[in-house]
Amino acid sequence: MKKSLLFIVLVLFLGSCIKDIRDTIEKGQKLSGIQWNPTIAVPLVYSRLGLQDVLNEVQDFEYVRVEADGSLTLVYADEYESEIAENLLILDDQSYGETFTLDALQLNTLNTSGTLVLTYNRTLGHLFGANEIDKIWYKGGTLLLNISTTLEHDVAFKITIPEAKNNRTSLSETVSAIYTIAPNTGSSTIPLQDLEIDFTKTPQTYSEMDVELEITITKKGSNSLKPTETVTFDMQLLSQNYSKVTGLFDVLDFATPGDSFDIGFFENSQSGTSTIADPRIKFILKNSIGIPLATSITRFEGTNTDNNRVSLIGVPDPLPIPIIPNSEMWTTQVDSFELNKNTSNLADYINNRPASNYYKIDVKTANTGSDRHFLLDSSKVTVRVEIEIPLEGTAKDFVLESSQPFSLELENPDQVKEILVRLYTENGFPADIATQLYFEDSVSNTVLDSLIIGDILILTSANVDGNGKVNMINPKTTDIVMGTANVLRITAANRIRIKAYFNTLKENGGNQPDVKFYDSYDFLLQMGVQAEVIIDQDL
């Protein structure tokens, strides 16, 4: 664990230093006044980095938390979102209509007085499968009203829905069919936006609304009246979009495909072993679905870079998703729980170094009998997963590798007689590091050369006190010489691979106690290059 942090430092500086060596050589080749076999010494890097500076180069964690004692905890997080209600509970279009036939008495009244007013009361149902609708708050949709008549006279059709209100005003709409030529028709379109319809005011108490119909017929000149005259209305509720809805709902499946996230801390690990002393995982549950839920995590597994997989055990089933009481309708409720090494197999899960993590959550509404509930258009469940990795534990022969593009372009590489790279380090971390850099051809996937002869120790662990905390830093100087043959090989490379082995300190007897990493720990690296070249040029 701790070692991966130091490995990041090497990647940052050794990778960039090779470019600086190239730049230095190129500059040296162009210097005036150089006749033969000069020596050029140039400092490349001076940097002192604290632990948080190193961690900030790893961009995939959520944040680094500094604990009260100064130790550090990495937090990786992912957030699952279920499907939202408006994509699951889709209101069916509704269609209503009726034809009214005028009887002889009504025709006579119209003929003698010139005007006839007819009124009707109807109850219209809102049909939606097994669901029972109590109230809808609309954010969109259309009420389409059409009339047609056999009468060659003017007709005004008025519909009033007392329980369909906008700002407490009941919906009332009049459609006119002014006769000019058959067929005699009229239509009107009313937006449903901002309308609220209460479907509970009929004896059934759900999925019905009372409407009041008024037909006013005005005789037009000497136009005839046929023995049979009719007025027909057709009304439709189309593309109904709700912001809120209440009622009794059939089972809804809010589940979405599984989610995955990576833990970059483990992504580059190749072999060896490491342990995290006290990992934790927290689940933060948010619910805005106003129906009790049956929710469970059906899979939660982590896979390391060797493709070894461990499933997380100990997650509550069902998940304790908070229930929203009707007294707190339209709110979002939050709950959480935490797993640790004592309540689950989290220690085994984390110490498998799960670079890749996958989980799947089932979210369904429960069958609640005749209880009434609510949904918002945006109602959903979110589960935030936070994996906390305290930087405390052990590492034994723990290997990290990283590759990156590489290019060393020299106009006349055979003129380079010798390059000396000097590394001066002060390691303020309680871990030993042995490292090697390989120059490779990515096309043939072969190693062309290496920077160091053998895997030699570059960074000696700092000394620690009886509590395992650093109390003395050990400096080290390392020189690496590269001759002409080496330079020719590395100029053919297009990739550099850095490999590092890490070990935390051992006690007498060979045991490796857990080691903590603190915010105060830092690392000093100085690097210089000395190049001896042969220049053959006119001055």
Side-chain angles (χ1 to χ4, degrees), residues 463-481:
N463 294 342
V464 298
D465 59 22
N467 296 318
K469 194 168 185 178
V470 170
N471 61 3
M472 183 181 296
I473 294 174
N474 290 326
K476 185 175 181 64
T477 300
T478 304
D479 290 338
I480 300 101
V481 177

Side-chain angles (χ1 to χ4, degrees), residues 283-299:
F283 295 84
I284 302 170
L285 315 169
K286 294 183 180 180
N287 177 34
S288 57
I289 301 172
I291 309 173
L293 299 168
T295 306
S296 61
I297 295 180
T298 57
R299 287 177 64 187

Side-chain angles (χ1 to χ4, degrees), residues 94-107:
Q94 305 293 310
S95 183
Y96 314 97
E98 187 174 351
T99 296
F100 303 94
T101 302
L102 277 63
D103 59 28
L105 180 59
Q106 293 167 338
L107 288 170

Side-chain angles (χ1 to χ4, degrees), residues 118-266:
L118 305 173
T119 59
Y120 304 91
N121 292 307
R122 294 290 187 265
T123 298
L124 306 180
H126 192 290
L127 304 178
F128 188 29
N131 299 278
E132 298 177 1
I133 303 298
D134 291 346
K135 190 173 183 178
I136 299 174
W137 288 258
Y138 285 100
K139 67 175 184 179
T142 300
L143 188 155
L144 182 61
L145 183 61
N146 298 303
I147 66 167
S148 62
T149 179
T150 60
L151 289 159
E152 296 178 356
H153 303 273
D154 296 341
V155 177
F157 181 91
K158 180 180 179 183
I159 184 170
T160 301
I161 309 176
E163 298 305 327
K165 296 181 179 180
N166 187 339
N167 293 326
R168 299 185 179 181
T169 300
S170 295
L171 173 66
S172 185
E173 183 74 7
T174 300
V175 179
S176 296
I178 307 299
Y179 180 76
T180 55
I181 188 172
N184 192 9
T185 62
S187 64
S188 180
T189 300
I190 305 102
L192 294 176
Q193 184 176 353
D194 298 326
L195 196 67
E196 302 173 11
I197 301 181
D198 190 340
F199 297 92
T200 67
K201 300 302 183 180
T202 69
Q204 180 174 277
T205 71
Y206 63 87
S207 299
E208 288 183 341
M209 59 181 175
D210 289 329
V211 298
E212 300 168 359
L213 308 176
E214 181 180 279
I215 303 173
T216 301
I217 305 170
T218 303
K219 193 171 184 298
K220 194 162 190 177
S222 60
N223 291 358
S224 63
L225 283 172
K226 297 180 285 294
T228 301
E229 299 281 14
T230 61
V231 177
T232 300
F233 90 95
D234 171 75
M235 184 176 75
Q236 299 179 68
L237 298 177
L238 304 175
S239 303
Q240 302 170 82
N241 294 319
Y242 58 88
S243 59
K244 299 180 286 189
V245 60
T246 58
L248 175 65
F249 306 108
D250 201 3
V251 173
L252 298 171
D253 188 349
F254 283 80
T256 59
D259 212 349
S260 62
F261 64 97
D262 297 331
I263 297 182
F265 191 70
F266 299 122

Side-chain angles (χ1 to χ4, degrees), residues 60 71 95 140-141 181 224 230 290 297 310 327 362 391-392 423 462 519:
D60 59 347
S71 62
S95 183
I181 188 172
S224 63
T230 61
I297 295 180
V310 172
S327 61
D362 279 353
L391 298 186
E392 178 182 7
L423 301 176
D519 185 41

Side-chain angles (χ1 to χ4, degrees), residues 163-436:
E163 298 305 327
K165 296 181 179 180
N166 187 339
N167 293 326
R168 299 185 179 181
T169 300
S170 295
L171 173 66
S172 185
E173 183 74 7
T174 300
V175 179
S176 296
I178 307 299
Y179 180 76
T180 55
I181 188 172
N184 192 9
T185 62
S187 64
S188 180
T189 300
I190 305 102
L192 294 176
Q193 184 176 353
D194 298 326
L195 196 67
E196 302 173 11
I197 301 181
D198 190 340
F199 297 92
T200 67
K201 300 302 183 180
T202 69
Q204 180 174 277
T205 71
Y206 63 87
S207 299
E208 288 183 341
M209 59 181 175
D210 289 329
V211 298
E212 300 168 359
L213 308 176
E214 181 180 279
I215 303 173
T216 301
I217 305 170
T218 303
K219 193 171 184 298
K220 194 162 190 177
S222 60
N223 291 358
S224 63
L225 283 172
K226 297 180 285 294
T228 301
E229 299 281 14
T230 61
V231 177
T232 300
F233 90 95
D234 171 75
M235 184 176 75
Q236 299 179 68
L237 298 177
L238 304 175
S239 303
Q240 302 170 82
N241 294 319
Y242 58 88
S243 59
K244 299 180 286 189
V245 60
T246 58
L248 175 65
F249 306 108
D250 201 3
V251 173
L252 298 171
D253 188 349
F254 283 80
T256 59
D259 212 349
S260 62
F261 64 97
D262 297 331
I263 297 182
F265 191 70
F266 299 122
E267 282 185 320
N268 291 314
S269 61
Q270 300 295 320
S271 62
T273 60
S274 65
T275 64
I276 303 296
D278 188 23
R280 296 175 294 276
I281 182 169
K282 180 181 288 187
F283 295 84
I284 302 170
L285 315 169
K286 294 183 180 180
N287 177 34
S288 57
I289 301 172
I291 309 173
L293 299 168
T295 306
S296 61
I297 295 180
T298 57
R299 287 177 64 187
F300 200 118
E301 57 191 28
T303 305
N304 66 18
T305 54
D306 295 325
N307 209 34
N308 294 323
R309 183 174 296 128
V310 172
S311 295
L312 182 63
I313 299 172
V315 179
D317 187 13
L319 290 179
I321 299 292
I323 297 174
I324 305 175
N326 285 339
S327 61
E328 299 181 39
M329 191 177 293
W330 321 128
T331 65
T332 296
Q333 301 288 316
V334 182
D335 202 349
S336 65
F337 67 92
E338 182 177 289
L339 301 178
N340 56 46
K341 63 184 180 181
N342 298 318
T343 58
S344 68
N345 68 332
L346 185 59
D348 293 336
Y349 183 92
I350 292 297
N351 290 326
N352 184 52
R353 308 191 306 275
S356 176
N357 300 265
Y358 173 86
Y359 63 99
K360 190 175 189 311
I361 302 179
D362 279 353
V363 183
K364 291 182 180 179
T365 58
N367 190 333
T368 60
S370 59
D371 293 340
R372 322 306 282 185
H373 298 288
F374 76 89
L375 287 172
L376 303 173
D377 55 343
S378 60
S379 286
K380 64 183 177 181
V381 165
T382 64
V383 179
R384 179 177 170 85
V385 181
E386 293 185 353
I387 293 182
E388 298 183 356
I389 303 176
L391 298 186
E392 178 182 7
T394 69
K396 180 180 180 182
D397 297 327
F398 186 65
V399 179
L400 294 175
E401 286 194 28
S402 178
S403 296
Q404 62 190 59
F406 171 79
S407 176
L408 178 59
E409 298 177 1
L410 299 176
E411 185 175 343
N412 298 297
D414 56 333
Q415 292 181 356
V416 179
K417 179 180 179 182
E418 190 175 86
I419 292 175
L420 173 66
V421 179
R422 170 161 291 181
L423 301 176
Y424 173 77
T425 59
E426 292 180 358
N427 181 10
F429 300 106
D432 292 339
I433 299 179
T435 190
Q436 178 60 283

